[in-house]
Amino acid sequence: MNTYFQALLSGIASGAVYGLIALGLSLQFGVMKIINFAHGSFLMMAMYVSLLACNQWGLHPLASAPVTAAVLFVVGWACQRWLIDGIYRKESSREPIGVLIFTTGLWIFMDYGALLVFGPDSRSVSHSWTNEVVVTGDLIFTYPQIAGCLLAGVVTLALVLFMRHTATGRAIRATGQDREAASVLGIDSQRIYRLSFAIGLGVLGVAGALLLSLYPVNPFVGDIFGMRAFVIVVLGGIGSIAGAFWGGIIVGILESVGSQLIPVTYAEALIFLLFLAVMYFRPRGLFGVENE
Amino acid sequence: MMTGTRSSFSRPWLWVGVAALALAPLIGGSQYLLSIAVITLLYAYLALSWNVLGGIAGQLSLGHAAYFGIGAYTSTWLFVNLGVSPWIGMWGGALLAIGAAVIVGMSCLHLRGAYFALATIATSMVLKTLVENADQLLGGPRGMEVTLLRDAPWQFQHTRKEFYYVIALVFTGVALFVNHRILRSRFGYYLAAVRNDQEAALALGVPTTRYKLMAAMISAGMTALGGTFYAQFVLYISPDKVFGANLSVVIAVVCIIGGRGTLWGPVLGALLLLPGEELARAMTGGMVGMDMMLYGLLLMLVIHYEPQGLMAILRRLWRRRAVPGAKEVTP
């Protein structure tokens, strides 16, 4: 019984970080209705930034999170401003397929660029903190698991509050719901897009720093987590921030508890099967709202 | 938008030119160039197959690797275990893929745009995971080797690349013909209506779900045949290679870059992207990753310049020359 309980709690811990990874994607998806295929590559970039901050400058893995977040925020702003904006505007009346292909190109470009710069090896952060554990009764947790879970929760909550209670947050939500109406009310949609993309990547920066303590980084690490982030976003409901968080937790639990019952590789299929089931019965996702 | 594609199909000089270009590698091509040509044609074929559902019907499928993989695995399994010629086995693969398309279609086709795209990715991932776990039956993650027979055209095998080149040409020709027929049929107009405005099409009494499902079945069956061709050409398949999300994305990208929903767009996309990849590899010789970086850059540049693909660029150039000041017609 205890192994399952342990698996459940570990699943929640890693799931919270998955949720955080998915959060930025959900925000971009919800506001701009774009599929950002480079999301996993940005996560990979965040992990490398965090790795440099920790291993070169000797920063504590947790202290690298704000640094990574800041770097990714700027990258996100620039990316939206100079790269995606133009393509998006060209076809904003249609489905933004262009952005999808563009970010696919960016995904390939970044992954192989990282391969060129950092080589194919997996690297992890060298800090004793990542191996320290807390033991309560029969249950064992590492510090990164606990910190990841708590910080992910805090960041999600902060973002939810920001979106609900600040003028900017409300402007972002309004733009996501109806761009034309928001423009009529004097909201600068270009600025909102830049901000949402930047916030999305900033949050991803925190997630990358946390993930680095749990998982080694290599140029293609984004493929695994990026693809999973898509599943989580749609599972939770596109554009729903809380949905992304809970979607992440569900996937984390499923993966962790599932692999106690069946081979790990099958547990992976379990996630996608759940996804398909949700798509069939609730196309809007678990927390999705029925508007659009 | 389709008037242009239709009339170009009936221009004989165009066909003579295309035929001459298509047959040129047979006369003076090295085996290396021929194999690039074969892969280019295979992707042109796959993009044309994708075009039926993703282009003409406008359903952004990002899970076509599932059908490709089903085709590759079915014919290979039948060939290796029962000695069935892949020429026959490929139809088994196509039938299975059509069945899969019905199942996927019933559960996903009611989803719109991005949701549909993600659901189709997830479907192909489920299938990939299942095949990776089928150690006994399909060799698990290691994959399967096609029994090597060397010069056995009746078993879909030959040591000379010309053999595969001619078959790839025929495959692509047939796919072009299928696309052409759909584009000018009532069925095709219904699909275009679904793509342009599903609500309106529904209101006009178009049974949208049935037509989308038919497009998915045709698209899946064709893609599966391509899977068999790939297995016989490369003589080795693995879940990663034939079921991977990368493959799905590349198939869609080739078609979209060329111009989705058009007749020649998928071919153009393949002609640009696949030799482009090879050229990048040759140019950067030895620098691991550089070729793929250039490839990614190429994708970004084309889309940055024209999100509707190469066909839109060509058509604009053509219009500008033919009818000065003519207005651009967008789909």
Side-chain angles (χ1 to χ4, degrees):
Chain A
M1 187 60 224
N2 248 334
T3 39
Y4 291 115
F5 194 55
Q6 167 89 51
L8 181 72
L9 292 178
S10 308
I12 292 172
S14 47
V17 178
Y18 296 165
L20 202 58
I21 295 170
L23 217 142
L25 195 65
S26 184
L27 187 66
Q28 294 159 0
F29 222 10
V31 178
M32 291 182 272
K33 310 280 182 289
I34 61 169
I35 302 185
N36 171 16
F37 259 123
H39 197 70
S41 303
F42 284 120
L43 176 72
M44 178 269 298
M45 182 197 253
M47 288 172 82
Y48 274 112
V49 171
S50 174
L51 185 81
L52 287 177
C54 294
N55 289 2
Q56 302 289 316
W57 309 337
L59 234 57
H60 188 278
L62 273 184
S64 77
V67 178
T68 315
V71 172
L72 268 279
F73 184 92
V74 173
V75 168
W77 184 282
C79 196
Q80 178 66 31
R81 168 73 182 77
W82 281 294
L83 300 178
I84 295 172
D85 233 21
I87 301 165
Y88 189 73
R89 228 172 312 159
K90 259 186 214 165
E91 50 170 9
S92 53
S93 58
R94 290 184 280 260
E95 238 187 306
I97 298 298
V99 177
L100 184 144
I101 302 294
F102 184 83
T103 52
T104 304
L106 195 60
W107 162 27
I108 297 170
F109 184 78
M110 285 172 72
D111 279 14
Y112 285 91
L115 180 69
L116 212 60
V117 176
F118 299 104
D121 306 324
S122 284
R123 303 186 205 183
S124 38
V125 62
S126 55
H127 197 288
S128 59
W129 178 76
T130 54
N131 300 318
E132 283 167 33
V133 291
V134 181
V135 184
T136 46
D138 294 341
L139 304 171
I140 302 171
F141 297 101
T142 63
Y143 273 122
Q145 276 181 317
I146 297 168
C149 188
L150 288 178
L151 199 55
V154 169
V155 171
T156 308
L157 192 65
L159 196 61
V160 167
L161 291 177
F162 170 78
M163 294 291 277
R164 281 209 190 128
H165 297 293
T166 65
T168 314
R170 280 194 290 265
I172 291 176
R173 282 193 297 150
T175 310
Q177 275 163 18
D178 190 337
R179 190 166 55 109
E180 263 75 50
S183 300
V184 171
L185 294 173
I187 295 169
D188 177 0
S189 61
Q190 299 302 323
R191 192 179 144 264
I192 293 297
Y193 290 155
R194 283 169 208 165
L195 199 61
S196 342
F197 210 86
I199 293 175
L201 286 201
V203 171
L204 187 66
V206 178
L210 293 175
L211 188 63
L212 186 65
S213 295
L214 301 167
Y215 204 91
V217 59
N218 68 60
F220 300 101
V221 72
D223 294 3
I224 311 162
F225 292 100
M227 212 46 92
R228 196 168 288 178
F230 279 122
V231 169
I232 292 170
V233 164
V234 185
L235 193 65
I238 286 188
S240 164
I241 289 170
F245 183 77
W246 294 119
I249 302 259
I250 290 170
V251 165
I253 292 174
L254 214 58
E255 178 190 59
S256 176
V257 177
S259 52
Q260 296 291 320
L261 301 167
I262 49 175
V264 187
T265 40
Y266 272 122
E268 184 85 15
L270 215 58
I271 296 168
F272 291 111
L273 280 175
L274 169 79
F275 172 80
L276 289 177
V278 170
M279 279 297 87
Y280 191 74
F281 294 109
R282 265 193 74 89
R284 291 265 155 248
L286 292 174
F287 294 80
V289 272
E290 295 285 335
N291 66 0
E292 195 165 325
Chain B
M1 66 174 285
M2 269 157 235
T3 40
T5 54
R6 227 185 317 149
S7 54
S8 68
F9 206 87
S10 51
R11 280 186 200 128
W13 56 265
L14 189 81
W15 281 102
V16 175
V18 168
L21 272 178
L23 292 173
L26 285 180
I27 300 159
S30 69
Q31 294 287 301
Y32 166 69
L33 285 179
L34 262 175
S35 69
I36 296 174
V38 169
I39 291 294
T40 306
L41 278 177
L42 173 64
Y43 274 92
Y45 171 78
L46 292 173
L48 280 164
S49 311
W50 188 87
N51 195 38
V52 174
L53 180 65
I56 302 173
Q59 305 300 306
L60 187 68
S61 162
L62 293 178
H64 262 52
Y67 310 128
F68 186 81
I70 288 174
Y73 266 95
T74 307
S75 64
T76 303
W77 191 88
L78 287 173
F79 181 44
V80 171
N81 291 293
L82 304 178
V84 177
S85 164
W87 285 117
I88 298 163
M90 68 185 202
W91 300 106
L95 278 179
L96 273 181
I98 290 171
V102 172
I103 296 170
V104 174
M106 301 244 267
S107 51
C108 298
L109 274 172
H110 64 285
L111 303 169
R112 297 284 170 81
Y115 283 88
F116 178 72
L118 293 175
T120 49
I121 287 193
T123 318
S124 69
M125 301 286 268
V126 172
L127 211 56
K128 178 177 169 234
T129 316
L130 292 178
V131 174
E132 269 172 353
N133 281 282
D135 266 317
Q136 302 285 313
L137 190 65
L138 303 172
R142 289 183 319 280
M144 289 178 92
E145 270 180 45
V146 176
T147 317
L148 190 62
L149 298 175
R150 296 184 189 283
D151 296 332
W154 296 115
Q155 305 294 331
F156 210 133
Q157 252 188 63
H158 208 283
T159 43
R160 294 203 64 82
K161 298 278 191 287
E162 282 86 348
F163 173 76
Y164 293 101
Y165 185 76
V166 170
I167 297 170
L169 263 184
V170 172
F171 266 53
T172 309
V174 170
L176 268 171
F177 183 69
V178 170
N179 271 269
H180 163 67
R181 286 307 293 265
I182 293 176
L183 277 170
R184 63 178 296 179
S185 68
R186 178 183 290 265
F187 173 54
Y189 291 132
Y190 280 147
L191 290 183
V194 169
R195 175 188 62 203
N196 290 334
D197 191 340
Q198 182 157 337
E199 308 305 331
L202 207 60
L204 288 172
V206 178
T208 55
T209 312
R210 201 203 315 161
Y211 282 118
K212 282 196 285 186
L213 200 59
M214 275 165 70
M217 287 161 71
I218 296 171
S219 191
M222 286 168 70
T223 307
L225 297 180
T228 299
F229 180 89
Y230 173 85
Q232 294 304 119
F233 182 61
V234 179
L235 297 173
Y236 166 73
I237 52 174
S238 66
D240 223 31
K241 284 266 188 294
V242 301
F243 277 111
N246 287 358
L247 178 71
S248 297
V249 174
V250 170
I251 294 175
V253 161
V254 167
C255 183
I256 297 171
I257 285 279
R260 58 188 189 133
T262 66
L263 183 62
W264 289 99
V267 181
L268 261 177
L271 281 178
L272 173 79
L273 289 180
L274 286 130
E277 193 184 340
E278 208 57 45
L279 194 70
R281 191 170 303 149
M283 265 163 47
T284 55
M287 278 181 88
V288 184
M290 194 56 139
D291 54 330
M292 290 305 282
M293 274 180 80
L294 284 178
Y295 184 68
L297 202 62
L298 179 68
L299 278 186
M300 289 192 275
L301 282 175
V302 172
I303 282 302
H304 195 86
Y305 189 61
E306 178 52 71
Q308 291 299 304
L310 292 170
M311 279 304 283
I313 299 176
L314 283 185
R315 196 165 293 148
R316 213 161 39 214
L317 292 175
W318 182 255
R319 289 258 162 75
R320 200 170 292 161
R321 250 186 46 192
V323 197
K327 265 177 82 177
E328 175 75 0
V329 184
T330 43

